[in-house]
Amino acid sequence: MSTVYDLSLEQLTDRLVGWGEPAFRAKQVWSQLWKRAATYDDMSDVPPPLRDQLAAELPLGVEVLDERTADGGATRKALLRLGAAGHVIETVLMGYRDRVTVCVSSQVGCAMGCGFCATGQMGLESNLTAGEIAAQVVWARREAGRLPDSTPQRLTNVVFMGMGEPMANYRPVRDAVARLMDPRGMRVGARHITVSTVGLVPGIERLSIDHPQVGLAVSLHAADDELRDQLVPPNELYPLAELEAAIAAWRDRTRRRPSIEWAMIDGVNDADEQAGKLASIAYRLRAHVNLIPLNPTPGSPSRPSGPRRIESFARVLEAGRVNVTVRDTRGRRIDAACGQLRLEHANRPV
Ligand code: SAH
Ligand code: SF4
């Protein structure tokens, strides 16, 4: 067992009943863990000896190793050590005027090998369990209470845009989503959850079946196979035509609007010609396009596109009747490109 968040209510009940506790205790603990995001120390309605036993035998398994804040405290990034195996990952909480979003990791590192990405530069270390993924959201729910007044102090959205490729660790991601939505627990609405993928086609299909209300973001970054093969290696396995068909099928099944993510990389994928090709794809998919100025990483020479280039690129999309937003680069000062803080710690004892 990795963390108590890996247990279903039924499994938790079995454990506590096995210790001679009444079943209602398990419900009480469960609801404190998930609804209040309480630690065992906070559970004043649970007898202290039981709290000690829980902490010893069913640990929360979430330790904050480092935390950085930016944007006047509205962006909070934590380096968390999760579970018995001590998986070290990043989780970022971002408070906006009207919503509070947590960006969670699905793996330690990533095997997909996108050169511009700090997590990709690490390679894959291991997968996270469903409980370790959900535990990040519990941390965020607790942390949301410390956000400034400029933003709601309540967690509203969950995005799988942290370290790792969610579709390469599909079952734990699927189960974590189910746990987050559990009406007896956190009750996060499916429409407030978005899974971001580099474009692994089988995962997109499975997600549309298992969680048809959950949002989909696809990291495209290039609008022809020649360039995409270079930027996003899995494109060789699932080239653009196949990926577009999978996104179209997802949209037809879910009736939701897909998002396309596009990191703006200076002189690489930011020409108007790419924008034109992207406009055709996005128009056919009726997708929303997010342009994200590249966050430079130490392991790559790539630079972000300048504001004028981004504006011109966006204008081509708009002319093609495509919805486009330029994403703000939240927390650039605190290395918010996921994987960077982890990389910094990689060679240090944690
Ligand atoms: N593996 C998934 C989800 C995690 S990455 C995916 O690739 O979609 C989340 C997003 O951050 C992706 O859109 C990814 O392309 C983007 N990203 C990665 N490194 C980046 C960087 N250095 N600057 C800007 N965006 C980056
Ligand atoms: Fe993995 Fe996504 Fe980074 Fe690519 S961008 S290496 S898929 S985390």
Side-chain angles (χ1 to χ4, degrees), residues 110 112-114 117 119-120 164-165 198:
C110 182
M112 298 298 126
C114 311
C117 167
T119 306
E165 166 51 38
V198 72

Side-chain angles (χ1 to χ4, degrees), residues 223 271-281 313 316-317:
D272 287 351
E273 187 231 348
Q274 280 292 315
K277 290 181 180 169
L278 169 59
S280 308
I281 296 174
F313 195 94
V316 174
L317 291 170

